[in-house]
Amino acid sequence: MPIYFDHNATTPLEPRVLEAMQPYLTGPYGNPSSVHRYGRAARDAVEAARAQVAALAGAQAGEVVWTSGGTESNNLALKGATAAAAATRVLYGATEHPSVLESAESLAARGWQVETIAVGADGLVDWPAFAAQLARAPLCIAALMAANNETGVIQDVARAGALVHGAGALLLSDAVQAAGKIPLDFAASGADLMSLSAHKLYGPKGVGALLVKAGVELVPLLHGGGQEHGLRGGTENVAAIVGFGAAAELAQQELEARAETLLALRRRLEAGLAALPGAAIFARDAARLPNTVQFGLRGWEGEALLMALDRRGIAVSSGSACSSGKGQPSHVLLGMGLPRDVAFGAIRVSLGKDNTAAEVDRFLAVLGELRLAAAA
Ligand SMILES: Cc1ncc(COP(=O)(O)O)c(C=O)c1O
């Protein structure tokens, strides 16, 4: 049986989510902006989903803006906030997802002062350096992810929020990987903007949300018919939004049980890796998502190990899905100060709610065989 260990790249659509979406894919539902009964039915479904997503994230329904996913949410937050601001300085964490760092770098090309926030070897923010950086010049917005997609490292967003607000700026937190895996509380998080994506929590691809606190000014990326309070024009993807809502509700109901299962599997995997000569877990001692382990195996380059595992029916990732296959070591590990050759060796296992202990054991057995093959 093939083994899927790449849930941080994407998760399978949960059958209960598909069931919730089905009527909106095939039924006689209208445009949510239409005033007739078909339109009103679609509007009701979109608003019910908004409440479900808000509940998962500890937000108000009115703070949820639908987007096409985490990438658009991060783009809208950074480009939207900077377009509406007077200060011309942006900071982002050294281990952020490319949708944050490329958005920020696109501003650099337009004359904005863009700097990275340094992290230590454990992937966590270097707080004294960050505080000094904040004091240096006026800031518009800083971006610090809730949890990293490669290492699973969980950042102290509330601490960052206090510092960033002290500097009179906004904080964006990319919670795409955190949502559904650890509790989220947008109200108390310290973030003014928070990104979410449905396909990382057993919902459909191509739908996400940006949570926006009241009073935060954004210039939209998409101008159109005034949907989403003018923040995101375009007819809503009703079925996908309904799916996101259903997935969020299930994630909220099952959060503790899922996290417990995942943590038990992660611990089993980590114990197996600790017994494997030449295996080293990255950011091992930092607080991490219950489902994520990134490690290197001496003698193996990450891409080669990924392919060897794929031939044996096991799907993992080398670094992030977005940067793998590019022949570049993970910027996350380089940002943490790891040497290039070590970063090149990275393999990420991201477990899912339906994985089993037997799958973890099989993976460890295959790794053991591959290690011996490499040593021979
Ligand atoms: C941390 C993080 N942010 C943003 C994204 C982008 O989300 P989407 O695939 O919905 O555009 C991802 C996806 O890999 C991610 O892991």
Side-chain angles (χ1 to χ4, degrees), residues 8 69-71 74 97 99 145 147 149 174 176-177 197 199-200 322:
N8 287 7
T71 299
N74 286 331
H97 186 264
S99 55
M145 66 206 318
N149 43 303
D174 175 347
V176 164
Q177 292 294 344
S197 177
H199 75 103
K200 309 290 186 179
C322 307

Side-chain angles (χ1 to χ4, degrees), residues 50 54 57-66 186-187 191-194 209-214 228-229 231:
R50 202 185 299 278
Q60 302 292 321
E63 294 173 323
V64 177
V65 175
W66 301 122
F186 183 53
D192 304 284
L193 296 152
M194 186 173 274
L210 180 66
L211 307 181
V212 185
K213 286 247 167 90
E228 300 301 292
H229 304 294
L231 274 176

Side-chain angles (χ1 to χ4, degrees), residues 36-79:
H36 51 61
R37 71 189 59 199
Y38 298 106
R40 290 199 305 275
R43 169 59 55 204
D44 288 349
V46 166
E47 296 314 316
R50 202 185 299 278
Q52 289 168 313
V53 169
L56 174 68
Q60 302 292 321
E63 294 173 323
V64 177
V65 175
W66 301 122
T67 65
S68 62
T71 299
E72 186 187 328
S73 298
N74 286 331
N75 273 263
L76 174 58
L78 284 168
K79 294 176 186 168

